Every structure is written in structure tokens, then in C-alpha cells.
Amino acid sequence: MIEEVALQQALACIGRFTLHIFEEVGVIAVLFGQTIRQLPRIRRNLVIPQMARLGVDSLPIVGLTMLFAGMVMTLQIVDILMRYGAQSTLGGIMSVAMGRELGPILTGVVVAGRVGAAMTAEIGTMKVTEQIDALRCMATNPVAYLVVPRFAACVFMVPLLTFYGYLIGTGGGYAVAIYSAGLTHFTYIHSIEFFTEVSDVLYGLIKAMVFGGIISLVACYEGMHAKSGAEGVGQATTKSVVTSIIFIFITNYILSVILY
């Protein structure tokens, strides 16, 4: 009897979580539709500052993250490859891994933590101080004014950050391979040229574009629906980051099945 009750409670928790995920997907899909409808009315003077804040200002943290990710990954696998005489494939493995998975995923997580949290906090503060209601009173569509510029900036800048991170991560792997593992410059670079295809990097950029859209939509939605008070803004910010990361990992699997 106790086991049946425990099983029912476990299934109930799984069901609630599943319904919550589908609910989040539904409301974000509605916001995505509204954003696409307002996209032709985009204001360039609002997009460029967002691109600078969301993209250019994220270069240091993305570069640092990808540099050490590439170095650590190379450090972990180079001994195994040398054990089986496959060290000549190291550059290709690093390049494909960075282009397909590590680049988009790590960049998306970093941007979700840095940019998504900032967007949610900013819009959430506008919500609790009734600035969004003021926009409606001035006949300004909040989606067009707040969501569309951030959506466009993320969709455009996250792929650029991903490509930048791909270069930095592969370069970090190169440094470890040359100066720690003793591989030659030709071996590493030739392996990249031999194993890496354009599609490996291109599909990674497509993933990053989708991740950028997810981060912006989730952040804007949570900010526009933040509860009153500082606590409500804090909860919305936390929820935004967690939800974005969950959706990034789910979407990454779906896109991997479709693209590869």
C-alpha cells in the first residue's frame, strides 16, 4: 500500500512537471507569434544598443568559458588518443565537438545566465513599476518596443558569439596539444582540415540562432509576468535562467536528430 502511494505521488510529480513544461512552451509560442507579427515594424535604433549589450559585452565571458572548455577537453582525451595511436585525430575531434555541440550549448548557457537574467530583471522592474502599463497608455505595443529588439539582437548575436567561442575553444585545444601533449602544428591543423566539414559549424550556428530566440523569448515573457515586489523580480529572473537552460538542452537534442 505504501509503495502504491509513493508510486502515485512520483507519477503525479512527473505529470505536473510535464504539464508545466507544455504550458511554458505554449505561452512562449504565443509570444513568438506576436513577436513575428511585430518584426516588420522593428526599430533599428532600439536593436543596435541591445546588440552591443547582449552580444559585444558578452565576448569576455564567452571567450573565457570556451577557452578553458577546449583546454580541459583536450587535456582529458589526448592521453586516451595517444594510448591507441590516434593522436593525429585530436584536432578534428576538437573542431567537430566545438562546432556541433560544445560551442552552441556552452554559449547558450552563458548567454542565458548573463543576458537572459539581465533582460528579465530589466523588464520585470518595468512591470512592477507599471512602466509597461504606461507604454500601453501611450498606444505603444510592449511586444514591439521591448521584445522584438531583444529577440532580433539575440538571434543575430548568439551565432556570432558561438563562432567566436568555436575559434577560441579550438585554439585552447591547440595550445594544450602543442605545448602539453607534444603534438606538431601540422598534425593538429591537418586533422581539423581533414575531419571538419562546413556543415559541422553551420549547423552549430543554426542551433545557436534557435537558442538565442529561446533565451530572449523566455526572458521577456518571465519579465513581463513578474509578480510585484523585489522578490517577484528575483523569482522571475531565476525562473528565466532555469527555463531557458532546460529548453536549450531539450531543443539541442531535437535539432541534433533533425540536422545530423
Side-chain angles (χ1 to χ4, degrees), residues 81-248:
L81 294 178
M82 294 180 70
R83 189 182 308 165
Y84 293 98
Q87 62 270 23
S88 61
T89 64
L90 178 61
I93 292 174
M94 287 300 304
S95 177
V96 172
M98 285 291 170
R100 287 190 176 192
E101 294 297 330
L102 289 181
I105 284 290
L106 291 180
T107 302
V109 171
V110 169
V111 172
R114 182 190 179 276
V115 174
M119 286 194 294
T120 304
E122 182 180 1
I123 297 177
T125 302
M126 296 179 66
K127 168 67 166 51
V128 300
T129 56
E130 299 181 351
Q131 295 182 49
I132 294 179
D133 294 333
L135 288 175
R136 294 191 178 97
C137 291
M138 293 186 296
T140 301
N141 191 320
V143 174
Y145 187 80
L146 297 174
V147 181
V148 172
R150 289 167 173 80
F151 175 81
C154 279
V155 168
F156 184 76
M157 293 303 298
V158 173
L160 295 182
L161 288 173
T162 299
F163 185 72
Y164 165 77
Y166 161 76
L167 296 178
I168 295 294
T170 307
Y174 171 85
V176 172
I178 299 299
Y179 299 107
S180 179
L183 269 69
T184 64
H185 168 83
F186 175 80
T187 300
Y188 192 88
I189 299 301
H190 176 72
S191 177
I192 294 176
E193 295 174 348
F194 184 79
F195 288 103
T196 307
E197 298 180 359
V198 176
S199 60
D200 293 326
V201 179
L202 180 61
Y203 290 161
L205 298 182
I206 293 174
K207 283 185 178 182
M209 186 180 299
V210 176
F211 296 162
I214 290 173
I215 293 167
S216 60
L217 291 174
V218 171
C220 291
Y221 171 80
E222 296 296 344
M224 296 175 70
H225 292 82
K227 297 179 181 178
S228 300
E231 183 179 357
V233 176
Q235 291 175 350
T237 302
T238 302
K239 186 178 178 181
S240 168
V241 175
V242 173
T243 304
S244 296
I245 292 175
I246 290 174
F247 282 170
I248 284 173

Side-chain angles (χ1 to χ4, degrees), residues 57-79:
D57 293 347
S58 298
L59 287 174
I61 183 64
V62 170
L64 191 65
T65 301
M66 297 305 300
L67 174 64
F68 283 97
M71 293 173 67
V72 169
M73 183 176 176
T74 302
L75 195 64
Q76 294 291 339
I77 67 175
V78 66
D79 289 338

